[in-house]
Amino acid sequence: MQRDPVGKLLLFGATGDLAQRMLLPSLYNLHADKLLPEKLQIIGAARSDYDDAGFRDFAKKALDKFLPDDRKDESAIAAFLERLSYQATDLSNPDAFPALAEKVGDVSGKLAIYLSTAPSLFEPAVKGLEKVGLAGETVRIGLEKPLGYDLASSKEINDTVAIGFTEDRIFRIDHYLGKETVQNILALRFGNSFFEPVWNARGIDNVQITIAETVGLEDRAGYYEGAGALRDMVTNHMLQLLALIAMEPPARYEPSAIRDEKAKVFRSLRQITPEDARQVTVTGQYVGGAVGGAIVKGYDEELGKDSDVETFVAIKAHLDNWRWQGVPFYIRTGKRMAVRRSEIAIQFKPVPHSMFTGRGGALQPNTLVIRLQPEEYIELLVMAKEPGLDRDGVKLREVPLKLSLDSEFAGTRRRIAYERLLLDLIEGDQTLFVRRDEVEAQWAWTDSIRAGWAANGMKPKSYQSGTWGPNAAIALTERDGVTWQDD
Ligand code: BG6
């Protein structure tokens, strides 16, 4: 991949929560590791009324708070702050853009823009940028979610952004793709020969994808009430994971090859009709309970009013293509669940015939577990014989063949997903960014689910905080004789 680094980075939303927790620490880490272009200037922009010095103080405080102690190097921090400047900008005000353009200055040495703002500001932002010459050939743009609310609004955003930027200059962010373990799915599938022959409907019985979180609403009521778990997690992160598991082998590790294959997966997702919605989807909302020993409030209580927004969703999905015909993909995600865990469990088909039956030995089908977080490992559950003389029958037991990526790569620092994504944006590599057709196919699928909920008047079922969601989510798989991989 040819690197094409920019000379300037314009960070909208520079004083927001994401900037403090993730973007500024990530940029600093890249700086400290000498990975940023030497002369890269970073211009922050947001509504807050800072000058350059004020923004540097702000950034310093964010780094002090959010960098781990072993990453803090005062002289590196001082040099990093030197790169920063700031322009107070109200994106909804067209008159604000000339001053911004002046601050950014010449963009012939290329500019990357990172837009982390409410979707309602995409349009004025792009129009304003275009007008003052900050959207030309030498400018690329990174867009942070939420990229819309449904297919129609997502198309509108994409159309607007397309006024100023061609698709090869648009970088849609899904931070799950920046995670090391998520990229490892590609290495596991396409860097090894032994899984591929069974990686299909003949070899695999079902796939389970879980993103369980222990956090609740946090301070995001305004956003979350308009989103809910389906839009917040399924339309993007969960479907991206599903695509990496299900896609055909791309010919090359490069943006078009990989994104073509993912897009094909999204296009083969079976639409969930209103008749099916009750059968194949479950929604939930947490009530009070205990998470990790702490007593926590229910969603409505946190919010201060009654709400029908789902904080949990489980879906049985199907891909209508040759490879995956008949294989259910069970996906679920929720807030305030029993543990924080992102995991993919691939359950293989049972052996065609067990020679152990007559001697008492019971077999379990093999399972491959890919734990993405908090730990990073790959575990294959295989059958083994318990040691013994077998006089009372053969005793077989499932034992783990475990590859811990944490310990295998113990000496290597795990980078924040945003370090990878910011660097790729700066250097112009689109591989880990989401293309327009992907995003729109994702929305088309989740819109059909939402329409089914509306048609059936489905409301989220309560589940106690600190559990694995409503009982109906358990029934969703048990009906098929499948149990969620929960331990
Ligand atoms: C974000 C969602 O995209 O992803 C949040 O908006 C969620 O609701 C977060 O908590 C989860 O990300 P991670 O990296 O902590 O798994």
Side-chain angles (χ1 to χ4, degrees), residues 145 175-176 179 211 213 215 218 220 223-224 232-233 237 335 340 342 373:
K145 76 180 264 256
H175 81 280
Y176 264 63
K179 289 179 191 271
I211 303 183
E213 299 186 279
V215 292
E218 299 175 290
R220 301 164 80 215
Y223 157 73
Y224 202 86
D232 185 45
M233 299 296 284
H237 312 321
K335 302 268 184 207
R340 172 172 179 255
S342 301
Q373 59 189 28

Side-chain angles (χ1 to χ4, degrees), residues 14 32-33 41 46 169 179 207 244 247 277-279 281 322 446 460 466:
D33 293 344
Q41 296 172 28
R169 293 189 285 118
K179 289 179 191 271
V207 176
L244 295 177
M247 72 188 192
R278 263 189 194 286
Q279 280 298 313
T281 71
W322 198 310
T446 45

Side-chain angles (χ1 to χ4, degrees), residues 412-460:
T412 315
R413 180 172 73 82
R414 293 301 190 283
R415 293 182 180 277
I416 309 171
Y418 281 98
E419 286 183 46
R420 171 67 192 248
L421 297 177
L422 281 162
L423 189 61
D424 285 353
L425 170 67
I426 289 166
E427 294 186 338
D429 182 348
Q430 286 188 303
T431 314
L432 299 178
F433 294 85
V434 186
R435 209 166 55 189
R436 176 171 184 159
D437 55 344
E438 293 181 71
V439 173
E440 293 185 356
Q442 292 173 331
W443 277 118
W445 190 67
T446 45
D447 276 5
S448 70
I449 295 174
R450 200 162 281 286
W453 294 347
N456 289 294
M458 273 172 72
K459 299 263 185 288

Side-chain angles (χ1 to χ4, degrees), residues 354-361 393-394:
S354 173
M355 68 169 202
F356 300 102
T357 319
R359 297 285 294 272
V394 182

